[in-house]
Amino acid sequence: MRSCKMPSGNEMPVFGLGTWRMGESRAKRAQELDAIKYALELDYPMIDTAEMYGDGGAEEMVGEALAGLTKRPFIVSKVYPHNASRSGTIAACERSLKRMKVERIDLYLLHWRGGVPLIDTCDAFLELRRAGKIADFGVSNFDADDMVELSSVDDRLTGTNQVLYCLSRRGPEYDLMPWMRDHAIPLMAYSPLDQGRLLGNATLKKLAGDLRCTPAQLALAWVLAQPGVVTIPKSMTRERVKENLGAVEIKLSADVLAELDRAFPPPKRKQSLQML
Ligand code: NAP
C-alpha cells in the first residue's frame, strides 16, 4: 500500500480504519471488535482513534484487537483540548498507551483547538517524542489561519492535520490544502463518506455503476486521488470494512475526475473549516 511522507521524514499509510462511535455501547461491542479484528486480518495498515471515542472505550477495543499480533498497524490517537496542557498531554498519552497496551503511538494529535496555549501542547508532544512514547505529532480541525498561527508559535509539527474532507465538503482545497502542500504536511481526511450521507448522490451512484465499484469505493478513491491526502473511513460491518479497502486499488481517469468536479464543484472562495 502507498504511504505519505510526513515532515519528520517518517511514512504514514494512505488508508486506515476510523473508530469514532465505537466503544460507546455494550450491545454493539462484539460487532465493533470483530470489525476492527477483521480490518487487521485484511492488513489495514492504520487505525485512527482518540481518548474521546467511547470515553476510552474505542482505545480499549483497539488494544484488545491488537493482542497477540506480531505486526501491528500504524496507530493514530488524539488528546482532548482540555487535557492538552504540558502535564495533561503527557498523562493523557500515558492513559491511551495503557488502554491500547502499546508502548508507542505512531501519530498523536491535538483533537481540536482549545484554550491551552499551543506552545504548551507542542512542548508536551516533543517531550513524549523524546521519551519514545509517540513517534510523530500533529493537530486536527485546524483551518489555514490556525496552521499559520501554529507555525509562527512553534514550527516543529512532525505529522499531519486531520480534517473533514470529502467530495461533498471540499472547502479545504481553497487555502488549507495549498498551505499544507507548501509546507509538505499531508492531510488526513476524516468522514470521507460524509458519514454515509454522500452515498445516495445520483452522479456518484451512476459513475460507480459504470466503473463496477460501489459509491463508497468511488468516494474513497476520489479522496485518495488527491495528492498528499490519506483517509480513515469507519465501518463496524465486515462487508463494508472489506469493500472500503477495495478503494485503494481503484485508479480514476481524468474524465471521471472531471465528472465528479461537475457534480461536487471545488470551492471558489474561502469556506471556514467545517467540523463534525
Ligand atoms: P465516515 O467514515 O465518513 O462514515 C462512517 C459511516 O458510514 C458509518 O455510519 C458507516 O456505517 C457508514 N459506512 C462505512 N462504510 C460504508 C459503505 N461501504 N457503504 C455504506 N455505508 C458505509 O465517517 P466518520 O466515522 O465520521 O469518519 C471516519 C473516522 O474519522 C472516524 O471514525 C474517526 O476515526 C475520524 N474522525 C475524526 C474527527 C476529528 O474531529 N478529528 C471527526 C470525525 C471523524 P457502519 O459502521 O454501520 O458500516
Side-chain angles (χ1 to χ4, degrees), residues 20 48 140-141 162 191 193 195 234-236 240 244:
W20 191 21
D48 176 75
S140 177
N141 296 301
Q162 184 185 106
S191 307
L193 306 173
Q195 298 187 326
K234 171 256 172 188
S235 177
M236 56 177 241
R240 290 169 172 181
N244 293 346

Side-chain angles (χ1 to χ4, degrees), residues 163-167 169-173 177 181 187-193 222-223 226 229 231:
V163 298
L164 176 58
Y165 179 61
C166 61
L167 269 169
R169 298 178 191 261
R170 296 181 62 172
E173 286 175 33
M177 289 168 75
R181 282 191 190 121
L187 179 142
M188 188 178 285
Y190 76 65
S191 307
L193 306 173
W222 178 85
V223 172
Q226 312 308 311
V229 177
T231 195

Side-chain angles (χ1 to χ4, degrees), residues 17-20 48-49 53 78 111-112 140-141 162 189-196 199 214 216 232-237 240 243-244 275-276:
L17 181 74
T19 61
W20 191 21
D48 176 75
T49 190
Y53 301 164
K78 314 181 198 81
H111 209 147
W112 63 90
S140 177
N141 296 301
Q162 184 185 106
Y190 76 65
S191 307
L193 306 173
D194 208 354
Q195 298 187 326
L199 305 177
T214 67
I232 45 168
K234 171 256 172 188
S235 177
M236 56 177 241
T237 71
R240 290 169 172 181
E243 175 188 332
N244 293 346
M275 240 180 111
L276 290 179

Side-chain angles (χ1 to χ4, degrees), residues 48-59:
D48 176 75
T49 190
E51 62 170 338
M52 183 186 103
Y53 301 164
D55 211 5
E59 287 183 332

